[in-house]
Amino acid sequence: MNSTPANHVYPLLSLEDLPHHLQPYTHQFEQACHFINKQLPSANIEGLPLTKLAKNMAHAMMHYSHESQSTLAALLYPFYCYQTTKSEIYTSIRAIGQLLHGAKAMGSIDTVYLQQTSDLKQLENLRRMTVAMANDIRIVVIKLIEQMQLLKHFLTDKQLTHQKAVQKITDIYIPLANRLGMGQIKQQLEDDTLQYLHPKAYQHIYQTLKRIGDPDTLLLKQITQTLQDKLQSIPQLTITSRFKHIYSIYQKMKKKNVPIEEIYDHMALRIIVPTVADCYNALGLIQNTWQSIPEEFDDYIAKPKPNHYQSIHTAITDGTHIFEIQIRTQAMHQQAEFGLASHRVYKEMQSDRALYVTKQHCLTDLLHWQFGLSNLPTDTHFNRVYVFTPQNQIIDLPHGATSIDLAYYIHSDIGNHCCGAKCRNQIVPLTYQLKTGDQIEILTHPKAKPSRDWLSQPNYLITSKAKHKVRQWFKQQDYMDFVSAGKNILKKALKRNHLKAFSLDDLVLKLNYKNSQDLLAAIGNNQLNPVSFLTTQPTTETESKTTLQKTQQTTIQLVEVTGIGKTSAHLAQCCKPTPTSTIIGYITKNRGVYIHRTDCPNILRKTKEQKKRLIHASWPTSDHSINDR
């Protein structure tokens, strides 16, 4: 690795810093550190040098994650987020680009919260951020670790300008850590925000605990040893003791309105056992040995907290002191400390089913977290649904969206060949309205195609994107039908005129069509009659246009159209209506109204959709062509 420049105050990670499980990724770390060492040491956020923030975030991430991508992303995140100049490093180290982008996107909630805005673009960014966070919980961990490091910096640089930033951490990121069950991060943020916002209260509690620490520490050792003796029948038992964290004591003082000297349960013990049965066995042994306090008992194993926290809480007393005890398994302990991040929600590490369940919990928690933020608009997610694909990717759609809406959201071809859907492995109709948390599989078949009912019936599609794609498909089908009909009409016209050699490309240029298919479609849709260009055989482009204009002039006539009155229209050359014929009008897409006989074969074979373009028409009492006027 290149040495750090002399003007770099904060040395970055070295290979010796890497724990054993990250050693295979030394080359990637060399790349990242080489890039960071070249950055300006003056670059900072809130007065904290980005180089120092990068190093601290990487070290912190090693504590919470045992895989390289998270640590690399944490190392590069400050520069990706706060520098305007971008580097190939963000994409050259594979698989961290999405982590960096997702963590940066979390800044949208800061904007919405601080500005209290209901701007549609910001709310859309917020929804996208929610999807990104639920798809990969590591994004949340990166952002929370950033907030932890910024908060530590604020404690050493107490300027009034940081007040709003610290309050934002209190209002947004502590509830997020709590909702996702990330106990370690939550407690660290709570203690540090208390120290910043209420320094006197923090110092008073801290100094009091420090003063009574020695005798209480001895007492904790004694009770721990007694517990070890009483619970020796339980194998692989672990007991730890500690003082409760300062913020917890502060909250209890406020709740009871008493000074710290009257808080007697500031000492806590944690017992970790192999199985759930061992938890209840340990509880029984403890209650048979010490006097328990009934009102302090909670069984969060039988009834977990909303953030999936599980543990048995009880409190015992020796007559003078109160000890809070938590009893849990190792898996419960991991959940309590790291929350959903402890599940290692990466596809290569979990079965599809386990990954789906974990992401479903994560999505639910994130939505509840956002609903609980008072400064956010209450309808941010009210009219949305979040569903899962079979690959466990989360898709955000409007409330009321159906299986077909989802199919077209994924890809037009999937929508065009959609023939059914499964919700959690159960067949559901195409009209099934999606619900948040559903896992939907779209069923396709090569011969399946859209139905016009999807547009005419209200319960098939609600998204404008899906409706547009279906209309596009039918427009293309009509177009190809006209191209096919045009080929047949032109073939017959060539045969009638005894023409064998004929250049379609030359005609496209002469008549100003984009391509031969457009010309054939015009013939098939009766917008262009082959007679106009086959009988005269013009030799120049000018002659061709003159001939076409003359042909069109002889076929334009005044007619009576219901709802419009007298108007000019083209006489269709397929049936050549005369003033003695019963007629009907057909509105073309680009060439105006064409008049047909009511018994014209082309009219009789129009599709149901095409017949919507038919209008009533009749000859005026005084018949004059446009040329006569």
Side-chain angles (χ1 to χ4, degrees):
M1 183 184 295
N2 289 353
S3 60
T4 305
N7 61 350
H8 233 292
V9 179
Y10 302 104
L12 293 176
L13 294 171
S14 66
L15 297 186
E16 291 74 23
D17 290 320
L18 299 182
H20 177 72
H21 65 273
L22 294 179
Q23 291 299 325
Y25 303 96
T26 53
H27 176 65
Q28 287 91 333
F29 277 94
E30 281 183 339
Q31 283 184 280
C33 291
H34 178 70
F35 162 75
I36 293 172
N37 285 340
K38 294 191 299 183
Q39 305 307 305
L40 291 173
S42 59
N44 69 87
I45 173 68
E46 300 279 1
L48 175 62
L50 296 186
T51 50
K52 184 177 183 180
L53 177 60
K55 177 181 178 179
N56 292 346
M57 285 184 65
H59 275 298
M61 182 59 78
M62 289 180 194
H63 177 68
Y64 292 103
S65 174
H66 291 283
E67 50 86 41
S68 65
Q69 293 175 9
S70 300
T71 306
L72 278 167
L75 184 61
L76 290 169
Y77 173 75
F79 302 94
Y80 181 84
C81 187
Y82 299 114
Q83 278 192 338
T84 54
T85 55
K86 297 303 176 186
S87 168
E88 292 180 359
I89 189 72
Y90 305 130
T91 53
S92 63
I93 299 180
R94 192 180 289 262
I96 67 166
Q98 287 184 331
L99 288 176
L100 292 170
H101 181 72
K104 183 176 181 180
M106 283 188 69
S108 64
I109 197 165
D110 296 358
T111 304
V112 174
Y113 177 83
L114 293 174
Q115 297 180 2
Q116 299 188 39
T117 178
S118 295
D119 178 69
L120 292 178
K121 183 178 179 181
Q122 290 296 341
L123 296 184
E124 176 64 22
N125 290 339
L126 190 59
R127 287 195 288 268
R128 289 179 180 174
M129 178 205 73
T130 304
V131 171
M133 290 160 66
N135 270 324
D136 197 333
I137 197 66
R138 295 176 296 176
I139 289 172
V140 182
V141 179
I142 291 170
K143 191 66 179 180
L144 289 175
I145 285 176
E146 177 208 24
Q147 298 301 307
M148 287 175 60
Q149 300 308 318
L150 287 174
L151 191 51
K152 288 182 184 299
H153 166 65
F154 297 158
L155 289 172
T156 60
D157 181 30
K158 295 182 181 180
Q159 297 179 24
L160 292 177
T161 53
H162 299 319
Q163 189 81 18
K164 188 176 288 188
V166 175
Q167 193 61 50
K168 178 190 68 179
I169 293 173
T170 301
D171 294 342
I172 293 179
Y173 293 105
I174 290 176
L176 174 60
N178 178 56
R179 189 72 216 189
L180 296 178
M182 298 177 181
Q184 275 196 12
I185 294 178
K186 168 181 168 286
Q187 290 180 10
Q188 186 66 59
L189 289 174
E190 285 176 337
D191 279 356
D192 288 348
T193 53
L194 177 66
Q195 185 177 357
Y196 187 94
L197 296 173
H198 304 285
K200 291 183 179 179
Y202 179 90
Q203 283 299 323
H204 176 63
I205 297 171
Y206 175 77
Q207 294 298 335
T208 302
L209 292 177
K210 187 177 179 181
R211 186 176 67 252
I212 64 175
D214 288 343
D216 282 356
T217 299
L218 180 60
L219 190 62
L220 280 172
K221 286 181 179 179
Q222 292 172 347
I223 198 77
T224 299
Q225 185 57 53
T226 307
L227 277 170
Q228 290 277 13
D229 296 339
K230 294 294 182 182
L231 304 179
Q232 60 182 337
S233 60
I234 300 175
Q236 300 175 6
L237 178 80
T238 302
I239 302 176
T240 57
S241 60
R242 61 185 173 86
F243 288 110
K244 296 173 77 171
H245 71 290
I246 294 177
Y247 181 82
S248 174
I249 296 173
Y250 173 75
Q251 287 295 98
K252 188 159 286 191
M253 290 166 57
K254 284 180 62 179
K255 183 179 179 180
K256 295 184 177 181
N257 195 25
V258 296
I260 186 174
E261 288 77 13
E262 296 182 31
I263 300 294
Y264 301 107
D265 56 345
H266 55 267
M267 293 178 285
L269 297 109
R270 182 175 295 138
I271 301 172
I272 299 176
V273 296
T275 68
V276 173
D278 291 331
C279 291
Y280 291 101
N281 185 19
L283 176 65
L285 292 171
I286 290 169
Q287 290 178 335
N288 288 336
T289 305
W290 287 276
Q291 179 184 347
S292 60
I293 304 172
E295 57 267 25
E296 296 295 329
F297 176 79
D298 287 294
D299 188 352
Y300 294 117
I301 294 179
K303 192 176 180 180
K305 289 185 178 182
N307 63 5
H308 318 293
Y309 173 89
Q310 287 184 294
S311 191
I312 293 175
H313 287 198
T314 189
I316 60 173
T317 179
D318 61 0
T320 305
H321 301 89
I322 297 174
F323 303 90
E324 182 185 277
I325 299 178
Q326 299 170 346
I327 310 170
R328 60 177 67 149
T329 66
Q330 183 61 42
M332 293 173 190
H333 181 61
Q334 288 294 313
Q335 171 71 35
E337 295 294 290
F338 304 107
L340 287 173
S342 70
H343 289 267
R344 302 189 306 172
V345 286
Y346 318 121
K347 187 169 184 178
E348 64 271 18
M349 299 180 183
Q350 286 195 325
S351 68
D352 287 345
R353 176 62 186 169
L355 184 61
Y356 165 61
V357 172
T358 301
K359 283 192 174 184
Q360 191 181 38
H361 285 321
C362 184
L363 176 64
T364 302
D365 289 340
L366 288 170
L367 293 177
H368 277 99
W369 161 63
Q370 290 187 22
F371 283 135
L373 298 180
S374 57
N375 278 32
L376 290 184
T378 55
D379 61 346
T380 302
H381 300 279
F382 181 74
N383 59 347
R384 311 295 295 183
V385 291
Y386 298 84
V387 297
F388 293 80
T389 68
Q391 293 74 37
N392 291 309
Q393 289 301 303
I394 301 171
I395 292 177
D396 162 30
L397 290 167
H399 179 74
T402 66
S403 306
I404 312 176
D405 286 307
L406 173 62
Y408 277 104
Y409 180 93
I410 297 170
H411 199 280
S412 298
D413 286 343
I414 293 177
N416 290 339
H417 296 96
C418 173
C419 62
K422 285 184 177 180
C423 177
R424 304 182 190 186
N425 294 319
Q426 299 292 319
I427 296 290
V428 293
L430 290 174
T431 54
Y432 174 75
Q433 289 194 352
L434 307 176
K435 300 178 181 64
T436 292
D438 283 348
Q439 187 176 46
I440 303 293
E441 177 186 359
I442 302 298
L443 307 176
T444 60
H445 192 277
K447 293 184 178 180
K449 58 184 181 180
S451 166
R452 293 189 184 274
D453 288 342
W454 294 2
L455 294 172
S456 60
Q457 300 296 323
N459 54 342
Y460 281 96
L461 298 169
I462 73 154
T463 62
S464 56
K465 177 180 179 179
K467 290 177 181 178
H468 172 71
K469 294 294 183 183
V470 173
R471 290 192 189 100
Q472 225 177 20
W473 186 88
F474 279 113
K475 183 178 180 180
Q476 181 66 15
Q477 296 307 303
D478 290 344
Y479 176 82
M480 295 312 297
D481 288 345
F482 287 137
V483 170
S484 180
K487 286 180 181 178
N488 292 331
I489 293 171
L490 182 59
K491 186 176 180 181
K492 291 176 182 178
L494 289 171
K495 189 175 181 180
R496 282 197 305 270
N497 287 274
H498 306 291
L499 295 173
K500 293 183 180 179
F502 181 79
S503 174
L504 197 59
D505 291 337
D506 288 346
L507 191 63
V508 167
L509 292 173
K510 288 178 181 180
L511 300 182
N512 292 322
Y513 282 90
K514 289 183 179 179
N515 51 54
S516 58
Q517 282 203 331
D518 281 359
L519 185 143
L520 291 171
I523 295 172
N525 199 19
N526 297 318
Q527 296 173 352
L528 179 64
N529 194 326
V531 174
S532 65
F533 55 80
L534 291 179
T535 55
T536 56
Q537 294 289 319
T539 57
T540 67
E541 184 175 349
T542 304
E543 291 175 12
S544 172
K545 290 181 178 179
T546 303
T547 304
L548 181 60
Q549 289 169 357
K550 288 180 179 178
T551 305
Q552 289 175 335
Q553 285 177 348
T554 59
T555 59
I556 296 177
Q557 194 77 24
L558 272 178
V559 294
E560 290 274 358
V561 176
T562 301
I564 299 176
K566 286 185 181 181
T567 187
S568 58
H570 299 275
L571 298 184
Q573 295 302 298
C574 52
C575 58
K576 296 181 179 178
T578 64
T580 60
S581 311
T582 306
I583 57 173
I584 192 167
Y586 181 77
I587 304 172
T588 65
K589 293 181 179 178
N590 302 310
R591 308 270 176 132
V593 178
Y594 272 73
I595 301 299
H596 293 258
R597 295 174 183 266
T598 53
D599 58 354
C600 174
N602 283 337
I603 291 296
L604 296 176
R605 67 165 175 255
K606 294 289 185 190
T607 65
K608 182 179 178 182
E609 190 69 19
Q610 290 170 337
K611 285 181 179 179
K612 293 178 180 179
R613 295 176 173 271
L614 295 175
I615 54 174
H616 294 289
S618 61
W619 301 107
T621 52
S622 176
D623 183 29
H624 297 286
S625 71
I626 290 177
N627 296 329
D628 294 332
R629 287 187 290 160

